DNA sequence: CGGCGCATCGATCGAAAGGTGTAACGGCGC
DNA sequence: GCGCCGTTACACCTTTCGATCGATGCGCCG
């Protein structure tokens, strides 16, 4: 709530946390820079506007923490960049900073090795605290994210197989069983079979409600 | 790329454009502030974190331009706030600044009286230029937005009626014709009738593809 | 005032989708 | 090796959906 100085004295040797900002929105990068550089103990060493650039700069500059967006323009390589950066043993911690909070996004990011997951509507103090936690190696989750995680763990049924997800995606695009069977070189019976399994797993009983459920849970995008 | 001074001399009488930033993300507000205040001729007089606050501050402070987000937390009152601010005769110009660029969003915003429509991934120069245009009363559209608009005008068929949109939304949530009829106190015949019209207008032939088409065109959300 | 679009309801009929049961095959773990 | 799971596939039956005819009342506009 109230502002208070950290326990450590400031004048020792300035152990600033070195940051890399990765986001495709210039405005967001400027905002993060503004918010974080006013806080003591942070130094933004570089900005990346694409996932590829983030991976490259993370390797070259070896920052302490990478603040990473999950949505980069059209392609969603944010999670992949996270994985590549986080896989380096002594490498930077990766803090995900995104607008959305779908279950699968969160899970994927954590599986990719992210140290924390923040939402962009987080207040500056929360942001700064999370970065400090990440720099120290501690996990940092936004409250909204944390509650989603436990809810997700409680009913981990909704794990569709790769094929099922593929079928459901085509359903979401509006294709009929007929069209899906042709596109995937299957019989309609198989498509129906997949759909029946999907319905059971999602607890629904129609293609449209399956799409609705999967979309709200972030299993399929768009 | 390179920094350069503006053509106008700075010392005349400082006719700064007075700005109100309305966005629910603190980081974005800070970013806008950082980007715009480094440019000469802009002054941020206030920030609003909700649509209601934006309307109130716009009335009290009478800024020249309001930079307005369309998505405020859960409810989408951004367009409503735009309408209320823009309806005042001598009032501020409203510049929409959002992440999404769906057709109906753009159309609604412009109908609500917005002077311009920008995307958050716009580079700082484009942003500053748009604000200057808006302050001068000129319309400012992001290139991506402009091209969408003309494409939209070309095939303006897809205008669903209010009732049709309502039905389609329920379809998108996964309800059956039966359930929709009960929820809207209609007969299934009427629901079917609405759907048939919807299919004709959207050029599709199934509920799922109607949802897909409407979603991609931004007619329905989520 | 006579259309026109919108919203409401009805009936019919064929096609599509969903429910249930059954089964084969390959991979993976205990 | 045996069982579980994912993927593929088929048959039969019921329900739902979509397409195509209708029809009525209402408000708006030229």
């Amino acid at each position: 709530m109230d502002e208070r100085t950290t326990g450590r004295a400031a004048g020792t040797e300035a152990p600033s946390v070195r940051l890399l900002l990765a986001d495709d929105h210039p405005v967001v990068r400027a905002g993060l820079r503004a918010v974080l550089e006013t806080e003591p103990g942070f130094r933004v060493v570089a900005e990346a506007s694409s996932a590829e650039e983030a991976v490259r700069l993370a390797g070259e500059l070896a920052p302490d923490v990478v603040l990473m967006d999950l949505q980069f323009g059209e392609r969603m390589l944010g999670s992949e960049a996270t994985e590549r950066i986080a896989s380096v043993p002594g490498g930077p911690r990766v803090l995900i900073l995104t607008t959305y909070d779908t279950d699968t996004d969160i899970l994927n990011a954590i599986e990719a090795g992210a140290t924390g997951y923040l939402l962009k509507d987080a207040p500056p103090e929360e942001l700064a605290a999370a970065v400090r936690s990440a720099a120290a190696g501690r996990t940092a989750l936004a409250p909204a994210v944390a509650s989603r995680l436990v809810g997700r763990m409680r009913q981990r049924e909704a794990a569709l197989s790769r094929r099922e997800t593929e079928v459901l995606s085509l359903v979401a695009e509006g294709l009929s069983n007929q069209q899906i069977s042709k596109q995937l070189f299957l019989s309609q019976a198989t498509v129906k079979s997949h759909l029946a399994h999907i319905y059971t797993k999602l607890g629904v009983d129609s293609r449209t409600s399956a799409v609705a459920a999967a979309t709200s849970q972030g299993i399929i995008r768009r």
Side-chain angles (χ1 to χ4, degrees), chain A residues 10 23 43 48 61 65 83 86 106 124 154-155 191 212 220:
Chain A
D23 197 308
R43 218 175 82 228
L61 302 173
V65 175
E83 191 157 13
I106 299 172
R154 208 172 305 151
Q155 37 103 28
V191 175
I220 55 177

Side-chain angles (χ1 to χ4, degrees), chain A residues 27-45:
Chain A
V27 170
V28 174
R29 292 200 303 272
L32 290 173
R33 185 163 222 139
V35 165
L36 292 172
E37 290 200 328
T38 52
E39 292 272 334
F42 295 133
R43 218 175 82 228
V44 177
V45 294

Side-chain angles (χ1 to χ4, degrees), chain A residues 55-132:
Chain A
V55 173
R56 186 174 56 78
L57 288 175
E60 291 177 5
L61 302 173
D64 300 314
V65 175
V66 179
L67 269 174
M68 168 87 69
D69 189 9
L70 271 189
Q71 284 79 32
F72 276 103
E74 295 308 309
R75 36 213 172 160
M76 48 188 96
L77 289 168
S79 54
E80 197 192 324
T82 301
E83 191 157 13
R84 284 213 259 160
I85 295 174
S87 64
V88 179
R93 315 281 183 175
V94 178
L95 245 182
I96 301 297
L97 183 71
T98 184
T99 313
Y100 308 100
D101 58 344
T102 60
D103 296 358
T104 43
D105 280 349
I106 299 172
L107 235 43
N108 286 341
I110 293 179
E111 278 170 12
T115 304
Y117 198 105
L118 300 176
L119 299 181
K120 277 185 184 167
D121 57 2
E125 318 87 57
E126 197 177 311
L127 187 61
V131 174
R132 259 186 277 270

